[in-house]
Amino acid sequence: MISVQEHHNVFLRQRLESLTAADKDYWSFKGNSRREYGHAMFQYPAMMVPQVVEAILKQACSVHPDIERVGDPFSGSGTIMTESMMRGLSFSGTDINPLAVLLCRVKSGPFFIDALKDKAKVLLVRIDEDRRWAVETDFPNRDKWFGRGVQLELSKIRRAIRQEDTLWARRFFWVALAETARATSNSRTSTFKLHIRTQEDIDGRSCDPVRTFKKSLARNIKHYEEQATKLSESGQLVRGYYQREIAVSLADIRKVKGKADLDIVFTSPPYGDNATTVTYGQYSYLPLQWVDLWDIDGDIDDDCLASTHEIDTRSLGGSTRVKKEEADHIKERSPAFRNYIKSLDEQPRDRALRVTAFFRDLDVCLEPILKCLHPGGLMVWTLGNRKVGGKRVPMDRILSDMLQARDAMLLCKLKRRISSKRMASKNNIADTMSSETILVMRKAV
Ligand SMILES: C[S@@+](CC[C@H](N)C(=O)[O-])C[C@H]1O[C@@H](n2cnc3c(N)ncnc32)[C@H](O)[C@@H]1O
């Protein structure tokens, strides 16, 4: 547990703000946001920039050298987890999306590089020697999303992975297969939503899943090996095992009942309901059809793939059934929310409803998140203020209000510019965002 005194707040604020004072665009890391190590293993939507996480963790740890354990309730692809490992910290995370949990579990090791290379060679021989013509998955509209030849090749890869004995290696291979499935499906890759390509486009494409898989596997092994070397050099890796504790659960953070063992919560929650911002679930739906879900988590609920929308519906803001008292509760806690909702008075009702449903759910998350944090623990929230009905939702002010209503203290706000993210730009609710705000807060002591 970190010790906290008044001067810690002043130091941390000064350190973070001095970086912005020296270069007002410091947090944008423009031209300096290359993804290396585990960060480069899979293109997950809305990933954080590792350099931002590294810089903030560095400052937080220099003010509080006793920080030991980081938590990320919305872990995604594990950017914060990987950066925590680079600093030799323990980590616990959750995500509701099985693909995100698979990525985190792979990126946290074990790092048996030589064995992995040997197993990859055996795997590729198995794939090349496979002459079977069976398709190894079945789901609604399979033939719409994958050409017949692609299905047969993805099936060879799936069969070969299933023959691998060790769970850690199978998980590693599933990541490359997940990426291959996404790249060779008939869905457009220019959007996170599932959008079928035009027939002309489909007919004109030549997909080679085995080749794509081999490339992706080789690249991932390279990044993994680089990460292992870096961790070994700093003494964090012994015989392939990371020396601190890492725990990532497949869970809805609203339902998590943890104990207070985190020194810092560092996270980037969704910007709004998935359907109108980033559809993490739709993005993951086709890749996950080719992965053995029980290899991701023994307790996985297969119904998470019941439809293309299921994961998104289960995520924050996925259900727009909001009771009046729930809406009133957030209005009481957040003046920024109250004013924002009022400004939507003239707009179609569903807009205010969507925003309310999202903040109702985000508010529910705060209870378990704060419970997992030690008294006086730090919080770093990376937030995007997206637009609804042409008006920017002040998520930074709303979240800050909601946390202050729970006695947390705002230490500082940092701004960073971002290149436009792929959003549901064709609907009238969302648009692309050009900046993010980083809220640095502290739980009451
Ligand atoms: C902005 S992304 C996190 C990206 C991550 N920081 C990275 O660098 O990859 C938000 C994540 O929140 C997850 N999520 C949404 N609702 C959730 C919930 N109720 N419980 C846990 N995770 C949830 C999504 O699946 C998504 O992976």
Side-chain angles (χ1 to χ4, degrees), residues 85-96:
M85 291 172 73
M86 293 303 191
R87 296 201 77 82
L89 302 170
S90 294
F91 177 88
S92 57
T94 49
D95 204 287
I96 203 165

Side-chain angles (χ1 to χ4, degrees), residues 44 46-48 72-79 95-97 100 251-254 268-270 280 315-316:
Y44 191 74
M47 292 189 287
M48 278 201 75
D72 182 355
F74 305 100
S75 304
S77 63
T79 308
D95 204 287
I96 203 165
N97 182 354
D252 180 340
I253 184 63
R254 286 167 286 185
S268 61
Y280 300 96
S315 302
L316 298 191

Side-chain angles (χ1 to χ4, degrees), residues 101-391:
V101 173
L102 172 66
L103 294 171
C104 290
R105 290 193 171 160
V106 167
K107 292 180 189 187
S108 55
F111 296 82
F112 301 148
I113 304 299
D114 291 339
L116 180 64
K117 287 181 181 169
D118 290 344
K119 285 173 182 293
K121 276 188 204 142
V122 174
L123 181 88
L124 297 183
V125 171
R126 266 191 219 127
I127 294 170
D128 288 339
E129 289 180 349
D130 186 330
R131 298 281 174 266
R132 289 185 59 195
W133 284 74
V135 174
E136 299 292 337
T137 187
D138 196 14
F139 60 95
N141 296 319
R142 184 186 70 188
D143 297 341
K144 167 182 164 185
W145 294 115
F146 294 94
R148 179 78 184 159
V150 170
Q151 290 179 30
L152 290 171
E153 290 212 11
L154 291 175
S155 299
K156 286 184 186 189
I157 304 169
R158 188 174 202 187
R159 276 192 295 274
I161 297 176
R162 282 175 163 169
Q163 286 181 55
E164 164 54 46
D165 295 336
T166 59
L167 178 62
W168 62 267
R170 286 202 302 279
R171 281 184 176 158
F172 193 94
F173 298 150
W174 290 131
V175 170
L177 178 57
E179 182 177 329
T180 306
R182 215 188 112 66
T184 58
S185 80
N186 290 336
S187 179
R188 286 192 249 148
T189 45
S190 54
T191 149
F192 297 134
K193 281 197 162 186
L194 284 172
H195 274 306
I196 192 78
R197 289 170 185 267
T198 60
Q199 195 53 49
E200 195 187 352
D201 192 4
I202 293 171
D203 294 342
R205 276 176 99 210
S206 92
C207 290
D208 186 339
V210 170
R211 196 159 156 260
T212 306
F213 177 79
K214 286 180 179 173
K215 258 177 82 178
S216 159
L217 185 61
R219 191 204 56 207
N220 286 355
I221 292 175
K222 176 178 157 285
H223 291 307
Y224 208 54
E225 186 168 17
E226 284 165 359
Q227 181 168 342
T229 306
K230 177 107 174 149
L231 289 170
S232 298
E233 282 167 2
S234 58
Q236 308 300 342
L237 212 64
V238 176
R239 285 187 289 280
Y241 288 103
Y242 180 63
Q243 291 301 287
R244 298 298 173 106
E245 208 186 312
I246 303 277
V248 179
S249 357
L250 176 60
D252 180 340
I253 184 63
R254 286 167 286 185
K255 297 178 187 157
V256 167
K257 290 187 176 61
K259 58 175 191 311
D261 64 355
L262 300 176
D263 300 312
I264 173 167
V265 164
F266 197 147
T267 195
S268 61
Y271 306 118
D273 62 294
N274 289 13
T276 63
T277 56
V278 178
T279 51
Y280 300 96
Q282 281 192 53
Y283 183 87
S284 310
Y285 177 79
L286 294 179
L288 285 173
Q289 299 294 344
W290 296 92
V291 174
D292 285 348
L293 295 182
W294 55 89
D295 268 0
I296 299 178
D297 192 284
D299 293 328
I300 198 164
D301 163 18
D302 301 1
D303 285 349
C304 67
L305 295 183
S307 76
T308 55
H309 294 87
E310 187 61 28
I311 295 174
D312 293 321
T313 305
R314 293 179 183 196
S315 302
L316 298 191
S319 161
T320 48
R321 262 177 292 163
V322 183
K323 295 189 189 127
K324 182 174 177 309
E325 55 273 26
E326 291 174 331
D328 289 347
H329 177 73
I330 310 174
K331 284 182 188 159
E332 270 163 34
R333 289 191 168 218
S334 169
F337 175 78
R338 201 163 54 229
N339 294 337
Y340 180 74
I341 288 295
K342 190 147 183 36
S343 78
L344 292 183
D345 270 356
E346 308 291 304
Q347 305 231 6
R349 214 178 90 76
D350 70 305
R351 294 186 176 165
L353 198 61
R354 271 187 188 284
V355 177
T356 307
F358 174 74
F359 283 105
R360 181 258 331 259
D361 289 354
L362 186 62
D363 189 63
V364 174
C365 298
L366 300 182
E367 185 96 14
I369 292 174
L370 284 167
K371 228 181 196 154
C372 292
L373 190 59
H374 284 137
L378 286 174
M379 285 179 272
V380 181
W381 294 83
T382 306
L383 307 166
N385 292 346
R386 59 124 165 186
K387 278 186 189 167
V388 171
K391 292 179 193 292

